[in-house]
Amino acid sequence: MVVVTGQGQASAAADDAMSSSEGDDEFQEPATPTASRAALPLLPQQFPEVVPLNVGGALFTTRLSTLRRYEDTMLAAMFSGRHYIPTDAQGRYFIDRDGTYFGDILNFLRSGDLPPRERVRSVYKEAQYYSIGPLLDNLEDIQPLKGEKVRQAFLGLMPYYKEHLERIVEIAKLRAMQRKARFAKLKVCVFKEEMPITPYECPHFNSLRFERSDGDAKLFEHHCEVDVSFGPWEAVADVYDLLHCIVSDLRARGIAVEHQCIGVCDKHLVNHYYCKRPIYEFKITWW
């Protein structure tokens, strides 16, 4: 008679478990099957010589060589075969971008044609998105972008220009909301000279720009009683040029703005000197 002890049972069970485990391992999937599949090299995407495009719903057809005209562009990279581009139901390669000005992009890639002036800014924005350096360079050399470069060079001399624009908008919005009004008014000082004062009873001074010691300069330190103050700056461009920039930039943001000169500060500083900085009233209409 054969007696099977508990130890033998345990041993047998362990052997069975090992054999079962070893048997199962022969048919077991890898622990990370997705990782193994992802490691497989993807075949490059093949494109036809004539490429149908769907750019945000706008349909185009062009040659593959046109899209690859300049190597360092997004379009050349997209259609290099290294990236996958989805297709729409008709098999057109889909680019998820507004296609309004894509025709101007293609015309430049085809023959170097530039858009008309009224579309320059918009096409420039698209050229930035697609990283088309030669088109960007050409657009920057024509109006209105060439003039904008000159204007920005002037505004670069203006301390806190963008911050002051934001302050105008915020003050006007706050006042309109507090008063439940359709519009809001605020006072803006725009001055070019460092110390725009006039000696009323000293006519022998024929210029506002004369030297003062540090002690004398402190006597003329003054902040006009206005909401926002622009200046001073060193450039040929004058107060009216800066006012044009302020109004243009506000209107470019969709803000309806009017302005008029309502006088000068005229605050007494010291002796016979008075502040003569011009004060403008800005009226911003919200609806």
Side-chain angles (χ1 to χ4, degrees):
M1 182 175 65
V2 179
V3 178
V4 180
T5 63
Q7 182 178 0
Q9 291 177 344
S11 177
D15 291 339
D16 290 341
M18 289 183 64
S19 61
S20 174
S21 175
E22 290 173 355
D24 291 342
D25 286 345
E26 295 178 2
F27 303 99
Q28 205 169 28
E29 290 291 332
T32 54
T34 54
S36 300
R37 293 193 185 101
L40 295 175
L42 296 175
L43 295 176
Q45 190 173 12
Q46 300 295 322
F47 297 101
E49 180 60 29
V50 177
V51 182
L53 297 171
N54 179 343
V55 185
L59 305 181
F60 301 91
T61 303
T62 188
R63 297 186 62 179
L64 182 61
S65 57
T66 299
L67 298 171
R68 296 175 176 176
R69 176 78 64 191
Y70 298 102
E71 294 181 357
D72 298 330
T73 67
M74 181 186 292
L75 288 173
M78 291 172 65
F79 290 90
S80 65
R82 300 190 302 271
H83 306 281
Y84 174 76
I85 302 178
T87 57
D88 62 12
Q90 286 72 40
R92 292 179 174 271
Y93 295 98
F94 181 73
I95 299 177
D96 194 10
R97 181 78 176 175
D98 186 352
T100 304
Y101 303 101
F102 192 76
D104 293 298
I105 298 293
L106 284 182
N107 286 337
F108 176 79
L109 295 177
R110 287 166 176 156
S111 55
D113 292 344
L114 297 177
R117 178 172 179 173
E118 63 270 15
R119 296 207 299 268
V120 165
R121 292 183 185 273
S122 299
V123 175
Y124 186 83
K125 182 179 179 181
E126 294 304 296
Q128 287 179 314
Y129 176 79
Y130 293 110
S131 301
I132 306 176
L135 178 54
L136 291 171
D137 293 339
N138 278 273
L139 293 176
E140 288 175 356
D141 282 337
I142 62 176
Q143 290 285 48
L145 294 183
K146 193 175 186 66
E148 181 62 18
K149 289 176 67 175
V150 177
R151 191 179 81 98
Q152 290 299 330
F154 161 58
L155 293 178
L157 303 175
M158 197 64 47
Y160 309 110
Y161 176 75
K162 292 182 178 180
E163 291 81 356
H164 290 339
L165 280 184
E166 290 298 328
R167 183 169 173 77
I168 288 176
V169 175
E170 289 302 317
I171 292 175
K173 181 177 69 174
L174 181 61
R175 288 182 180 170
M177 293 178 67
Q178 288 176 338
R179 300 171 184 176
K180 308 299 186 293
R182 180 168 171 258
F183 61 87
K185 295 181 179 180
L186 62 160
K187 293 180 180 179
V188 177
C189 177
V190 181
F191 66 98
K192 180 177 179 180
E193 303 293 342
E194 180 69 34
M195 295 180 184
I197 52 88
T198 299
Y200 276 1
E201 299 182 12
C202 300
H204 56 279
F205 286 113
N206 57 9
S207 172
L208 301 181
R209 304 182 62 82
F210 49 89
E211 298 296 328
R212 298 189 181 92
S213 66
D214 292 340
D216 291 337
K218 290 182 179 179
L219 295 175
F220 293 95
E221 286 183 357
H222 163 61
H223 297 285
C224 303
E225 295 179 358
V226 294
D227 298 297
V228 183
S229 186
F230 290 85
W233 68 89
E234 292 285 344
V236 175
D238 59 18
V239 168
Y240 298 103
D241 296 319
L242 182 58
L243 283 170
H244 181 273
C245 292
I246 296 171
V247 172
S248 298
D249 287 338
L250 290 174
R251 288 176 178 170
R253 297 173 56 176
I255 297 174
V257 56
E258 302 173 16
H259 72 284
Q260 62 176 343
C261 184
I262 58 174
V264 294
C265 178
D266 209 24
K267 184 175 181 179
H268 181 253
L269 299 180
V270 63
N271 295 333
H272 302 297
Y273 291 87
Y274 294 79
C275 175
K276 304 305 291 181
R277 293 170 178 171
I279 307 297
Y280 295 85
E281 181 182 75
F282 274 56
K283 177 183 177 182
I284 293 180
T285 305
W286 291 107
W287 82 85

